[in-house]
Amino acid sequence: MEKLYYEDPYQKTFTAQVLSCEPGKKGRYQVILDQTAFYPEGGGQPYDTGMLGGVKVLEVHEKDGHVVHETEAPLTVGGTVAGEIDWQRRYDHMQNHSGEHLFSGLLHRHYGYDNVGFHMGEDEITVDFNGPLTMEQVESLEREANEVVYANGPIRITYPTSEELEKLEYRSKKELTGQVRIVEVCGADVCACCGTHVKQAGEIGLIKILGMINYKGGVRISMLCGRKAMLDYERKQKTTTAISVLLSAKPDRLVESVEKLKNDSQAKDAAINQLYQRLFQTLVQARPDSEDWLLVKEDNLTPVQLRQYCTMLYEQKKGKVVLVYSGENEEWKYALGSADVDMRELSKKLNAVLNGRGGGSNLMAQGTFHATEGEIEKAWEEIAEASCRDIEWS
Ligand SMILES: [Zn+2]
C-alpha cells in the first residue's frame, strides 16, 4: 500500500483502487485501498477524515501494515474511487505537530527533558515533559520558538541509513526498529516521527502556550499553533472585550477592576450579614419563651443564615425543637436545631416524609425538602405530637 501522505503531505485528493471492503463495528465498513492520502492515527497525531467514493470516511487506523478506512457505506471491491481528505483538519494537525516538535526540541536543548506524552485534542494540544519548569522559562521558550517560525527555515524529512543514524543525535520516544523517519526543524530539533509536517517553519504560524500544570514529577504544557491558535486568540479577545464593556474598564485594567469588584462584594456581604444578625435578634426577642416545637418560615435565607437563625431561636429558648425553612414552592432549604432532642434522627424522619435530603449533628441538621408548605406544616405537627406522646409515656 502506497502512503501518499508521506510522498506529499499536501496532497488533498487522489484516486485509488478498492482492495477490500468488509463490514466493521457500529454499522461501518472497513476499506483498504492500493494507495491513500488519509493519514491513520499515529505518533500523537489524530487520523484524517474526508470522502471516499462519495461516502464519508469517519476514522482511519493502521492495522497489520494496512491503512484501514472506516466508511459510512460500502465500496465496490476492485472499483476505482476518488478520495478527498478534510484538508483544514489535516493542516491544523500539521501546524500543531510541527509546532510541538519545535517547542519540544528547544526545551530538550535547554533543559534536557524528554517529551514523554503528546496528545492533540480539539481545543488544545498537551505535551508532557519529565522535569520541572517555571512559567518564566516556558514563556522564554515560547518566544524563542516563535523566532524560529519568523526565520521560516525548512522542515526536512529524511530516512537515514543505520550508519548515518548512529552518528545522528535525535529525540525519540522509544527504541526504533526498521527504517527510521527523521524530522528536522530548522536546526532547532531533530526527532524520529511518523506524522505529517509543514514544509517551512513559517507555516506553523503563531505558537502559543496556554498553560502549564505539574504532572507526574514533571510538567504538562498545553499549547496551540497556527489557525487553532488564531481562533483561540479570537475567542479570548471577544471575552476580554465583553468583560471590559461590562466593567467599563480598559482591557489592561481588568484584573484591578475585578479585584475591586470582589472586595466591594465581600464588604457588602459582611454588611448584609450584620444586618441579618440584627434582624434575627429582633425577631427572636419578639417571640415568647416556649417549650413547644417551633416551625418558622422566612423568605430568601441562605443555608448559613438558616443555621444562625435556628441556633438563636433554640438557644434563647423560643422552642424545644426549632425548624426554620426558606425557599419557594416545593424547593425548600431547612435548618433543624435543638439542645435536647437528637436532630439526626428527627431529620431522617422529616426527610422520609417530605422527600428531603440532608443531615448533621445531634444539635443541628440541614438539608432540603421537596414538598408543599401544607405538607411541611402537617408533617411537623404530626412528628411534634408523636414525640410529645413518646415523652409522656416514658
Ligand atoms: Zn512527531
Side-chain angles (χ1 to χ4, degrees):
M1 135 130 10
E2 239 180 301
K3 295 170 176 175
L4 301 172
Y5 47 86
Y6 281 154
E7 281 167 29
D8 178 10
Y10 291 81
Q11 189 167 347
K12 305 163 187 72
T13 58
F14 64 103
T15 53
Q17 206 190 351
V18 179
L19 299 182
S20 74
C21 175
E22 281 162 18
K25 285 177 191 161
K26 298 187 239 173
R28 296 174 181 178
Y29 293 84
Q30 302 204 314
V31 175
I32 296 176
L33 307 169
D34 66 335
Q35 58 173 6
T36 186
F38 281 90
Y39 180 75
E41 198 171 35
Q45 185 179 328
Y47 52 79
D48 290 334
T49 57
M51 299 294 285
L52 200 54
V55 304
K56 268 189 191 161
V57 177
L58 303 163
E59 282 184 41
V60 187
H61 301 282
E62 194 158 2
K63 275 177 215 153
D64 310 322
H66 294 294
V67 176
V68 181
H69 309 73
E70 286 189 17
T71 59
E72 218 173 36
L75 296 171
T76 312
V77 177
T80 301
V81 286
E84 180 170 11
I85 63 169
D86 177 343
W87 177 245
Q88 184 164 289
R89 176 179 162 92
R90 157 69 83 73
Y91 198 59
D92 284 344
H93 292 159
M94 285 162 63
Q95 286 183 315
N96 279 283
H97 200 158
S98 298
E100 178 272 317
H101 272 232
L102 171 52
F103 185 82
S104 295
L106 291 175
L107 198 150
H108 179 76
R109 178 181 290 176
H110 287 291
Y111 301 101
Y113 301 154
D114 296 313
N115 171 337
V116 289
F118 173 39
H119 175 74
M120 295 176 94
E122 257 313 299
D123 303 319
E124 61 179 25
I125 66 176
T126 59
V127 199
D128 302 338
F129 296 96
N130 54 357
L133 286 167
T134 66
M135 205 54 212
E136 287 72 32
Q137 290 170 325
V138 172
E139 280 164 3
S140 161
L141 284 166
E142 178 190 61
R143 279 193 288 274
E144 191 180 344
N146 279 290
E147 293 287 343
V148 177
V149 171
Y150 310 149
N152 195 23
I155 294 176
R156 287 197 190 91
I157 311 283
T158 55
Y159 295 88
T161 62
S162 45
E163 294 87 61
E164 288 170 326
L165 209 56
E166 256 173 48
K167 288 179 213 140
L168 196 66
E169 250 192 65
Y170 65 99
R171 297 189 298 118
S172 168
K173 281 220 190 81
K174 50 193 173 204
E175 224 27 70
L176 297 160
T177 52
Q179 180 62 66
V180 176
R181 185 169 178 268
I182 293 290
V183 179
E184 194 245 308
V185 185
C186 318
D189 182 46
V190 183
C191 184
C193 176
C194 59
T196 57
H197 289 268
V198 295
K199 267 188 199 146
Q200 301 285 135
E203 286 183 71
I204 294 170
L206 173 65
I207 296 178
K208 190 77 200 86
I209 301 302
L210 305 180
M212 177 173 72
I213 55 167
N214 293 327
Y215 184 75
K216 289 185 177 173
V219 291
R220 168 167 286 180
I221 290 173
S222 48
M223 62 190 288
L224 279 176
C225 308
R227 193 186 69 100
K228 288 268 192 183
M230 196 273 291
L231 290 178
D232 187 59
Y233 192 171
E234 206 175 284
R235 274 195 301 274
K236 283 172 179 162
Q237 183 63 33
K238 275 187 187 150
T239 305
T240 306
T241 307
I243 295 172
S244 171
V245 169
L246 281 171
L247 296 177
S248 304
K250 286 183 179 163
D252 61 345
R253 303 296 293 265
L254 285 184
V255 174
E256 288 160 86
S257 219
V258 171
E259 262 167 9
K260 186 179 175 301
L261 202 68
K262 216 174 136 189
N263 291 338
D264 288 355
S265 170
Q266 277 168 355
K268 273 180 193 151
D269 283 347
I272 289 169
N273 195 32
Q274 252 183 359
L275 288 172
Y276 264 106
Q277 296 301 311
R278 283 195 208 168
L279 171 69
F280 294 154
Q281 199 50 52
T282 310
L283 289 170
V284 170
Q285 277 167 0
R287 283 184 184 275
D289 288 2
S290 168
E291 277 290 294
D292 290 342
W293 284 42
L294 178 64
L295 178 65
V296 180
K297 184 191 155 219
E298 197 65 51
D299 289 336
N300 300 322
L301 296 190
T302 64
V304 173
Q305 290 165 343
L306 280 168
R307 193 168 63 232
Q308 288 169 340
Y309 190 22
C310 182
T311 305
M312 287 164 89
L313 282 165
Y314 82 76
E315 278 184 349
Q316 295 180 40
K317 310 224 177 297
K318 305 302 174 184
K320 185 180 172 65
V321 183
V322 179
L323 172 63
V324 187
Y325 69 109
S326 183
E328 274 173 73
N329 210 14
E330 310 223 354
E331 188 74 51
W332 309 95
K333 293 186 192 77
Y334 74 84
L336 186 62
S338 171
D340 309 313
V341 181
D342 191 337
M343 290 300 98
R344 283 169 296 202
E345 274 303 305
L346 189 59
S347 73
K348 252 186 224 166
K349 281 186 196 164
L350 284 168
N351 286 341
V353 188
L354 297 171
N355 193 18
R357 295 185 69 156
S361 68
N362 55 334
L363 285 176
M364 169 74 55
Q366 285 200 266
T368 52
F369 295 142
H370 295 273
T372 64
E373 228 180 308
E375 284 166 342
I376 295 174
E377 282 165 8
K378 187 162 166 277
W380 184 248
E381 234 167 73
E382 282 173 5
I383 283 187
E385 262 175 37
S387 302
C388 292
R389 269 203 311 275
D390 289 347
I391 291 162
E392 276 162 24
W393 289 343
S394 61

